[in-house]
Amino acid sequence: MPDPIYLDHAATTPVRPEVLDAMQPFFGPRFGNPSSLHRWGREARAALDEARERLAVTLGAHPDELCFTSCGTEADNMALIGVWRSRRESGRTAAVATPIEHKAVLGALHEVAHEGGEERLLRVSSCGVVDEASFDVLVNDSAAVCSVMWVNNEIGVVQDVHELAQRAHERGVIFHTDAVQAFGKVSIDAKATPFDLLSISGHKIGAPKGIGALFIRRGTPMSPLMFGGSQDRGRRPGTENVAMAVGLARAAELTVAEREEECRRLDALRERLETALLARIPDAVIHGRGAPRAPHVTSISVPGTDSESLLMALDLRGIACSAGSACQSGSITPSHVLSALGVPADVASAAIRMSLGSLTTDDAVARVAELFPALVEKARRMATA
Ligand code: PLP
């Protein structure tokens, strides 16, 4: 059997050897607690500070604007709930987001509603681009915070974060962007783009699972979500995960250094894949294709098939993709992202997300382009038999 093909980089990526090397000493002799005053502690503190500085450089940020978190989900929760709680007394009681956000943001929005706030969802176009008219109506002087993801994890659509952040500021609204899928795919510079908060996650860029960071621009109001020690100036108490912070910083540096070349490579591979698939399956739908998209994601629906059976058929041939929908407790539910785009339920339930990355080669793309149409053909024959 030929080598398996991993086409699920938007779900997670392999840990880079350079990242593992950088982290290794902190699982061994450099085990100190950064809050301890003795030499072990000082050594750990120095490594943590250095990681923060190096990560800050990759984002155009000041080191004190970065808070290490346990994952992207925590960073999103902290941004939405932390800012909303700190502003609710001022009469700004609403939190706004797009309906195509990751559940990490949508879940935080529900929590705001649960705590007595108002949850507002923006409209998006059929390609997934934020509707400016609905932005202007909903992001108003009763809103505390607005969150718009930079790159969508299911269809790859890229939003105009610069423009949206500016508009939010005109109305006194704090602007957060979930950049978990954007880091390494678009140019991110806190000096050039006026977002107030930005989330990233390590395991999407070659660091391990269980580390993320939230950029919090100086002066942004923020209530902590956890209470206890005074780590990170009380913003996020708990003994810092030094090894993981070091790993995240290393992964971020490598990702940013390689960004332009890797994006060009992935863009060409994705284009080749989509062109080949559309040539052989002319009625296939590629979601968000009319909008600006990050180069690593393609979401394709073939009418008359269903994603669950196609995923299984692909898996049997060693090809790992995911559904364009959330897979919860083993059952595939229709994607909230595709529903928000107005995609009919039968088309949404056929969506397959292929996400490209470091493991994607020319050969892998050629094999998928060959095999996928054959599997589709078979699935359709079985459906009509
Ligand atoms: N936001 C986006 C856009 C994501 O794709 C993900 C992960 O899939 C997350 C947030 C959550 O990140 P984590 O898995 O680190 O909690």
Side-chain angles (χ1 to χ4, degrees), residues 71-73 76 102 149 153 178 180-181 201 203-204:
C71 54
T73 298
D76 285 346
H102 189 272
M149 70 201 314
N153 50 303
D178 175 336
V180 166
Q181 297 289 342
S201 172
H203 73 104
K204 313 290 183 180

Side-chain angles (χ1 to χ4, degrees), residues 103-128:
K103 292 281 165 101
V105 165
L106 294 177
L109 214 61
H110 293 334
E111 178 55 24
V112 162
H114 183 68
E115 292 183 22
E118 189 195 338
E119 172 182 353
R120 294 181 186 161
L121 289 179
L122 298 163
R123 274 206 311 270
V124 292
S125 73
S126 58
C127 288

Side-chain angles (χ1 to χ4, degrees), residues 128-300:
V129 177
V130 170
D131 177 77
E132 289 184 9
S134 101
F135 191 90
D136 288 342
V137 171
L138 297 182
V139 183
N140 60 16
D141 58 10
S142 60
V145 59
C146 170
S147 184
V148 177
M149 70 201 314
W150 205 324
V151 169
N152 179 268
N153 50 303
E154 285 189 26
I155 58 173
V157 60
V158 182
Q159 307 291 345
D160 188 346
V161 165
H162 196 285
E163 167 70 18
L164 297 174
Q166 262 173 353
R167 282 184 189 224
H169 289 166
E170 283 162 17
R171 297 162 179 88
V173 178
I174 290 177
F175 187 86
H176 166 252
T177 184
D178 175 336
V180 166
Q181 297 289 342
F183 194 90
K185 304 299 185 306
V186 300
S187 162
I188 300 179
D189 180 357
K191 289 193 202 74
T193 310
F195 48 79
D196 300 296
L197 302 122
L198 175 140
S199 309
I200 62 170
S201 172
H203 73 104
K204 313 290 183 180
I205 59 166
K209 292 153 200 58
I211 182 74
L214 180 64
F215 163 86
I216 310 169
R217 194 176 291 281
R218 284 179 180 166
T220 306
M222 165 70 61
S223 296
L225 300 194
M226 294 196 295
F227 303 90
S230 57
Q231 288 93 345
D232 208 329
R233 292 174 292 138
R235 283 192 304 206
R236 202 228 180 219
T239 303
E240 298 93 338
N241 195 337
V242 182
M244 297 286 248
V246 167
L248 175 61
R250 188 76 194 108
E253 286 178 331
L254 293 164
T255 302
V256 165
E258 295 163 3
R259 184 181 71 81
E260 287 185 18
E261 205 182 319
E262 180 65 350
C263 283
R264 267 196 299 276
R265 188 182 78 87
L266 296 182
D267 198 43
L269 287 175
R270 198 236 338 239
E271 187 53 37
R272 197 176 316 152
L273 179 62
E274 291 185 349
T275 307
L277 294 181
L278 286 173
R280 292 190 54 191
I281 320 168
D283 60 340
V285 180
I286 293 183
H287 303 289
R289 195 160 144 97
R293 282 182 304 156
H296 66 307
V297 183
T298 187
S299 170
I300 182 166

Side-chain angles (χ1 to χ4, degrees), residues 1 40 50 234 272 303:
M1 177 147 167
W40 281 270
E50 189 186 324
R272 197 176 316 152

Side-chain angles (χ1 to χ4, degrees), residues 281 302-305 310 371-381:
I281 320 168
V302 180
T305 65
L310 265 184
L371 201 64
F372 189 75
L375 294 178
V376 161
E377 178 99 345
K378 195 167 166 199
R380 280 174 156 171
R381 266 203 316 272

